[in-house]
């Protein structure tokens, strides 16, 4: 399934970049969504495949933070690109005569950059929250997948404030895309 996902997304990117007729905002956003999907799946699946082959389900704390940050970054980017694509279709349907002016290449790049930086901010807020837990820096985590809630539960100090921050992050990242 991983190879099918990779092949499908790579074919979308290849088709959009090679055909000049597809150099429109819709396909530009679609190719960026495919890139985010490739990156999203590549954060956990290769580690899972290696763990299955070696019969080892251990990930270091640093590896866990890196995986968690990447997973949140690309997952959030997926969810922020979808409303951008919906806006693109809205403009194409409701304002077809102004479409090329409203969805200029500059505007499209700004949308992609804003999506990336919002996603980066979201992932780094989770990292900062987890890094505040100082009691488990030198441990190995018995899983191939790292979730912020898993790491917060491993902390040996009071995690109430971290849970509040997590809920605030979820609320912030959940409302703008809708």
């Amino acid at each position: 399934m991983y190879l099918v996902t990779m092949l499908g997304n790579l074919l979308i990117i290849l088709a959009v970049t090679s055909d000049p007729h597809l150099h429109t905002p819709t396909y530009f956003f679609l190719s960026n969504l495919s890139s985010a999907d490739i990156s999203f799946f590549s954060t956990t699946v290769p580690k899972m495949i290696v763990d299955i082959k070696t019969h080892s389900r251990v990930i270091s704390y640093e590896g866990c933070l890196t995986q968690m940050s990447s997973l949140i970054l690309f997952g959030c980017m997926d969810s922020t690109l979808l409303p951008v694509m919906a806006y693109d279709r809205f403009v194409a349907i409701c304002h077809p005569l102004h479409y090329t002016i409203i969805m200029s290449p500059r505007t499209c790049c700004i949308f992609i950059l804003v999506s990336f930086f919002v996603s980066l901010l979201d992932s780094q807020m989770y990292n900062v929250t987890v890094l505040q837990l100082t009691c488990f820096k030198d441990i190995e985590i018995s899983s191939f997948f790292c979730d912020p809630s898993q790491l917060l539960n491993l902390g040996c100090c009071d995690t109430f404030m971290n849970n509040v921050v997590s809920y605030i992050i979820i609320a912030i990242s959940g409302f703008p895309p809708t």
Side-chain angles (χ1 to χ4, degrees), residues 16-29:
V16 169
T17 54
S18 64
D19 189 357
H21 293 98
L22 300 179
H23 292 178
T24 62
T26 302
Y27 292 106
F28 175 70
F29 294 135

Side-chain angles (χ1 to χ4, degrees), residues 36-66:
D37 280 344
I38 287 172
S39 302
F40 180 74
F41 288 113
S42 295
T43 57
T44 56
V45 176
K47 172 77 173 126
M48 181 184 67
I49 292 170
V50 167
D51 287 352
I52 289 170
K53 290 300 246 182
T54 62
H55 301 289
S56 170
R57 291 187 49 196
V58 175
I59 188 168
S60 68
Y61 178 70
E62 294 82 14
C64 188
L65 287 177
T66 303

Side-chain angles (χ1 to χ4, degrees), residues 9-175:
N9 284 315
L10 286 173
L11 284 175
I12 290 171
I13 294 169
L14 180 66
V16 169
T17 54
S18 64
D19 189 357
H21 293 98
L22 300 179
H23 292 178
T24 62
T26 302
Y27 292 106
F28 175 70
F29 294 135
L30 187 62
S31 65
N32 278 286
L33 183 68
S34 292
S35 298
D37 280 344
I38 287 172
S39 302
F40 180 74
F41 288 113
S42 295
T43 57
T44 56
V45 176
K47 172 77 173 126
M48 181 184 67
I49 292 170
V50 167
D51 287 352
I52 289 170
K53 290 300 246 182
T54 62
H55 301 289
S56 170
R57 291 187 49 196
V58 175
I59 188 168
S60 68
Y61 178 70
E62 294 82 14
C64 188
L65 287 177
T66 303
Q67 183 190 62
M68 181 187 72
S69 180
S70 299
L71 189 73
I72 293 171
L73 172 72
F74 296 117
C76 187
M77 193 156 176
D78 269 354
S79 66
T80 55
L81 280 175
L82 291 175
V84 169
M85 294 173 74
Y87 177 73
D88 172 60
R89 292 293 81 210
F90 167 77
V91 172
I93 293 167
C94 295
H95 305 287
L97 298 178
H98 299 291
Y99 179 74
T100 55
I101 295 168
I102 296 171
M103 297 305 290
S104 67
R106 182 177 181 268
T107 305
C108 293
C109 288
I110 289 172
F111 280 146
I112 295 295
L113 287 174
V114 167
S115 175
F116 176 75
F117 284 119
V118 165
S119 303
L120 185 65
L121 176 69
D122 188 38
S123 72
Q124 294 312 304
M125 286 191 327
Y126 272 111
N127 262 356
V128 166
T129 303
V130 170
L131 285 172
Q132 288 178 357
L133 302 174
T134 58
C135 42
F136 60 92
K137 297 287 185 199
D138 297 322
I139 65 167
E140 291 183 334
I141 297 158
S142 174
S143 179
F144 70 90
F145 175 72
C146 287
D147 187 45
S149 61
Q150 264 184 331
L151 292 176
L152 290 176
N153 289 337
L154 285 175
C156 53
C157 49
D158 183 28
T159 60
F160 174 75
M161 203 58 201
N162 291 332
N163 288 335
V164 170
V165 170
S166 293
Y167 293 136
I168 291 170
I169 293 169
I170 290 168
I172 289 171
S173 63
F175 285 119

